[in-house]
Amino acid sequence: MKISVVGTGYVGLVSGVCFAEVGHDVICVDNDYTKVNKINNGESPIYEEGLSELLKKHININLRATTDLSKAILNTELTIIAVGTPFGKDTIDLQYIEKVSKEIGQVLKNKPSYHVVVVKSTVVPGTTDELVLPLLEKYSCKKAGKDFGVGMNPEFLREGSAITDFMSPDRIVIGGIDKKTQNKLNDIYKPFSETDKLKTNNKTAEMIKYTSNSLLATLISFSNEIGNLCSLQGDMDAIEVMKGVHLDKRISPILKNNQRISPSIISYLEAGCGFGGSCFPKDVRALISYGKNAGDKMQLLSSVVDINNDQPMKMLSLLTKHFPNLDGKRIAILGLAFKPGTDDMRESPAIPIIKYLLSKNTKIKAYDPVAQDEAKKIFNTTKITYCESIRESTRDVDAVLLLTRWQEFETLPKILNKYINPPLLIDGRRMFPKNCLPRYEGIGI
Ligand code: UGA
């Protein structure tokens, strides 16, 4: 099918490239010339495993990028909106959705054939039907359901494994105002015949996305609350506590052959230094604001956010337990990205932690395999020394704060134990056993 994707950010570009991989003809649209040029030259503007290879494979064959929205819509049957929906001051900022809906409407005015417009950006329930649809009708002077269809198709990609997640989805949610829209949207997912598909209305599709992310964020904050309590009371380790909880067969079922399944959701039920990224913090806050506007107190999700905001401070309390006066102390930060497999630092726990350490006049050495350039943009200071290896960053420091679960950090205890006087290790991701070093602290111990 001929598909246009508006917005070549994370969701848009990954979707566009993957739709090309499954055989569709894809036009990606963005108003940023530099990005469009890069894509047309086979270069990915973002870091994501496997993306560059797929982009190179399809560009100028069944994948193109353009700044010309009109041409893209007139030459395709279905348009996916994948523009950003940042969290504004106290609510979701829909300005880009609004702008693009108007522009698409204007093009549809001159398109004689039926077209389907699908929202893929994460938007609060009601946005597709109550904002996008009316704008499309207003600017096209046409009728939704008759001249064009309007759908909602949330994405469930994780940064770092977005291509695999897209190519092997766990579910496909197909929202639409009518059967015709849903069927057209279903058509682009025909290559995924094995995947569970849920056909529903647009508002439910929007709510499924927020509910999924809010559940995962809740599991993390729940585990952190338990971990913090274990730390406070002593003689308990959250890792062991959670191990006991995970063994509930309703969480990790036992098969008939007595083998136990360990579902990956378990990894969200572990204490750590907090969640971050471009999705969980923004989506939970957007749902809280949506709920509060509707008159609900949103008590549980408000606590999920509060616990998460406090979590980086737990790392710092462990540090000040050993070094009450941080002035002049040499600290290594291992891991800047909000999680492994990405250079994304949005809402990373590393940000408040480093800001605090800078305010206390510590000497910071930082190392992350891919996120250092991002960090340089955020901190813009000469007070952080960026290093090229674990060894370089941890040499001659008083303490090491491990903030991201990068696989290459697995060698850390071995490296630190070789020093004459190994530094204190504060393990924000509980990667290592408690006895791995003479001085070890971890969240939840
Ligand atoms: C999240 C969801 O997992 C995706 O399903 C969703 O599509 C995406 O948001 C989105 O809305 O676009 P993402 O933010 O890329 O994906 O990352 P996750 O891997 O879920 O990590 C989010 C947070 O959970 C991170 O802070 C990470 O440290 C934490 N996490 C992640 C865990 O605590 N345990 C894990 O096993 C994985």
Side-chain angles (χ1 to χ4, degrees), residues 2-33:
K2 291 185 187 328
I3 305 172
S4 39
V5 183
V6 187
T8 62
Y10 200 79
V11 174
L13 189 59
V14 170
S15 308
V17 167
C18 290
F19 277 129
E21 172 70 2
V22 298
H24 296 301
D25 249 316
V26 182
I27 309 179
C28 290
V29 188
D30 205 292
N31 56 10
D32 183 337
Y33 277 100

Side-chain angles (χ1 to χ4, degrees), residues 155-157 159 209 213 220 267-268 275-276 279-280 339:
E155 62 77 28
F156 300 98
L157 312 175
E159 286 188 31
K209 169 70 191 190
N213 276 0
I220 297 175
S267 58
Y268 291 82
F275 62 76
C279 305
F280 286 4
K339 65 168 193 175

Side-chain angles (χ1 to χ4, degrees), residues 10-11 48 122 154-161 165 170-171 209 212-213 216-217 220 264-272 274-283 308 337-340 342 344 346-349 403-405 429:
Y10 200 79
V11 174
E48 178 64 37
T122 301
E155 62 77 28
F156 300 98
L157 312 175
R158 285 165 304 168
E159 286 188 31
S161 56
D165 287 348
D170 44 14
R171 72 202 116 160
K209 169 70 191 190
S212 297
N213 276 0
L216 295 172
I220 297 175
S264 53
I265 200 159
I266 279 180
S267 58
Y268 291 82
L269 274 167
E270 278 168 7
F275 62 76
S278 61
C279 305
F280 286 4
K282 160 177 94 85
D283 293 352
N308 196 56
F338 83 96
K339 65 168 193 175
T342 176
D344 198 339
R346 281 175 287 179
E347 309 254 2
S348 169
L403 305 182
T404 316
R405 191 183 272 272
R429 298 293 172 188

Side-chain angles (χ1 to χ4, degrees), residues 346-357:
R346 281 175 287 179
E347 309 254 2
S348 169
I351 299 174
I353 289 174
I354 291 177
K355 279 191 177 156
Y356 181 86
L357 292 175

Side-chain angles (χ1 to χ4, degrees), residues 108 111-116 140-149:
L108 290 184
K111 188 171 184 202
S113 54
Y114 179 81
H115 195 90
V116 171
S140 66
C141 305
K142 289 185 173 177
K143 193 90 196 99
K146 180 175 156 279
D147 306 305
F148 61 90

Side-chain angles (χ1 to χ4, degrees), residues 351-418:
I351 299 174
I353 289 174
I354 291 177
K355 279 191 177 156
Y356 181 86
L357 292 175
L358 286 172
S359 77
K360 294 291 168 194
N361 204 27
T362 58
K363 296 194 173 90
I364 301 176
K365 290 208 272 179
Y367 171 66
D368 186 290
V370 299
Q372 293 187 183
D373 288 342
E374 279 308 303
K376 285 175 193 163
K377 286 185 220 157
I378 293 170
F379 296 111
N380 192 21
T381 170
T382 50
K383 289 189 180 154
I384 304 171
T385 308
Y386 293 95
C387 302
E388 291 309 313
S389 65
I390 303 176
R391 226 173 278 273
E392 190 191 335
S393 60
T394 56
R395 202 173 289 130
D396 298 324
V397 295
D398 299 299
V400 176
L401 270 59
L402 186 142
L403 305 182
T404 316
R405 191 183 272 272
W406 282 104
Q407 210 182 340
E408 70 168 84
F409 292 166
E410 276 166 14
T411 55
L412 183 63
K414 216 169 147 195
I415 294 174
L416 298 186
N417 270 319
K418 282 204 179 126

